Amino acid sequence: MKVANAYGEFNHFHLLSGEDFPVKNNEQIDNYFENHPDVNFLEISQRIPEQNQDRFRLRYQQYHFLQDKFIGQKHNIFKYIDFASCYLQRFLGINRTRHIKIQSGAQWFSLNQKLIRYIVEHEKWIIKHFKNTYCPDETFIQTLIADTEYMQTLYNSGQENLRFVEFYWKAKHNLTPRYLNVRDIHLIDNKKYFFARKFSKEVSDVFLRNLKNDL
């Protein structure tokens, strides 16, 4: 965000992942965001904490000191050691969120430059509250703007971010987006979605070929 903000003036900045793809053409995307310059598209919901309230609190209330150096894959012995240390911290009374209320939602967004600048200006606040936490990309923006004027700029009160994603339980603690296939081609005509995830060449090849031809 810091680099993009310094690059120039833009209506909106879009965060996409490597397996995302647009389901509208450039003209449709440009026209839509030009007509909504003051609107921000970011999800704020209880979807993530509702999956497991206790595990959600462990992600942010205590310090995950092993997160950056040792934890890479989802199933990693250091991950269990890390969470065990969080239970110990909880027993000792450590709670980083005593003075803030953690909000959450999908990390993907389309935000205007005013909000991007606000986020960049609060880098120190973000680091203070979210360094050594677990998956902060799903919470730091939502928490930062809670109780600010930016809540009033969210599309559909933060219930939608113009992205289609459908999650499924791959394992007990692994809720992940499914790969889209040709049965999802209807997304092209759905006005609610401008981007979708996730795609792979193997599973989504027919969809992608149809999508590229249509766009």
Side-chain angles (χ1 to χ4, degrees):
M1 280 187 264
K2 288 170 65 176
V3 173
N5 178 59
Y7 191 75
E9 299 292 325
F10 301 94
N11 282 350
H12 284 83
F13 295 75
H14 310 280
L15 178 63
L16 305 173
S17 298
E19 295 176 309
D20 292 5
F21 207 82
V23 291
K24 300 291 185 291
N25 62 42
N26 286 348
E27 183 179 2
Q28 290 172 307
I29 293 173
D30 288 344
N31 288 341
Y32 185 84
F33 287 101
E34 285 175 3
N35 290 327
H36 297 82
D38 300 319
V39 181
N40 289 294
F41 304 87
L42 174 76
E43 180 195 57
I44 296 184
S45 73
Q46 292 299 306
R47 173 179 56 83
I48 298 173
E50 284 175 354
Q51 296 165 17
N52 189 322
Q53 282 281 357
D54 185 62
R55 189 174 179 84
F56 180 77
R57 288 193 293 268
L58 280 177
R59 288 167 58 169
Y60 308 107
Q61 289 183 350
Q62 285 75 42
Y63 293 88
H64 292 261
F65 293 113
L66 304 181
Q67 174 67 20
D68 292 334
K69 293 184 178 180
F70 298 105
I71 301 176
Q73 302 300 320
K74 289 183 179 295
H75 298 288
N76 182 309
I77 185 62
F78 292 107
K79 177 178 179 180
Y80 297 100
I81 296 173
D82 182 64
F83 270 91
S85 75
C86 289
Y87 280 108
L88 176 60
Q89 292 175 55
R90 176 185 288 181
F91 176 77
L92 295 174
I94 296 175
N95 183 350
R96 304 178 64 182
T97 63
R98 294 185 192 279
H99 304 295
I100 61 173
K101 182 179 180 181
I102 299 294
Q103 303 289 341
S104 65
Q107 64 166 309
W108 307 286
F109 60 69
S110 294
L111 304 180
N112 63 25
Q113 193 152 32
K114 182 179 179 181
L115 179 48
I116 289 290
R117 286 173 174 160
Y118 181 82
I119 296 168
V120 171
E121 290 168 358
H122 287 77
E123 179 180 10
K124 290 183 178 179
W125 185 94
I126 293 168
I127 292 174
K128 175 183 177 181
H129 293 286
F130 290 97
K131 184 178 181 180
N132 293 319
T133 59
Y134 189 78
C135 298
D137 53 352
E138 297 176 331
T139 58
F140 79 96
I141 299 177
Q142 289 86 345
T143 303
L144 173 65
I145 69 172
D147 301 321
T148 72
E149 62 180 288
Y150 293 103
M151 293 295 293
Q152 307 304 317
T153 70
L154 297 184
Y155 179 70
N156 196 17
S157 300
Q159 299 302 304
E160 298 178 54
N161 61 1
L162 303 183
R163 285 138 172 91
F164 177 85
V165 56
E166 187 171 276
F167 291 90
Y168 76 100
W169 287 102
K170 187 175 182 179
K172 182 179 179 180
H173 295 301
N174 185 3
L175 187 65
T176 188
R178 70 172 176 86
Y179 284 106
L180 304 183
N181 55 54
V182 69
R183 294 191 298 273
D184 300 298
I185 199 71
H186 62 87
L187 294 174
I188 295 175
D189 297 320
N190 193 318
K191 296 181 179 180
K192 290 176 56 178
Y193 305 115
F194 283 72
F195 309 97
R197 75 183 319 264
K198 56 186 182 176
F199 293 90
S200 75
K201 182 171 177 56
E202 292 75 19
V203 179
S204 314
D205 186 49
V206 176
F207 186 1
L208 286 171
R209 281 192 276 114
N210 280 273
L211 186 57
K212 290 176 181 178
N213 291 335
D214 186 84
L215 298 184

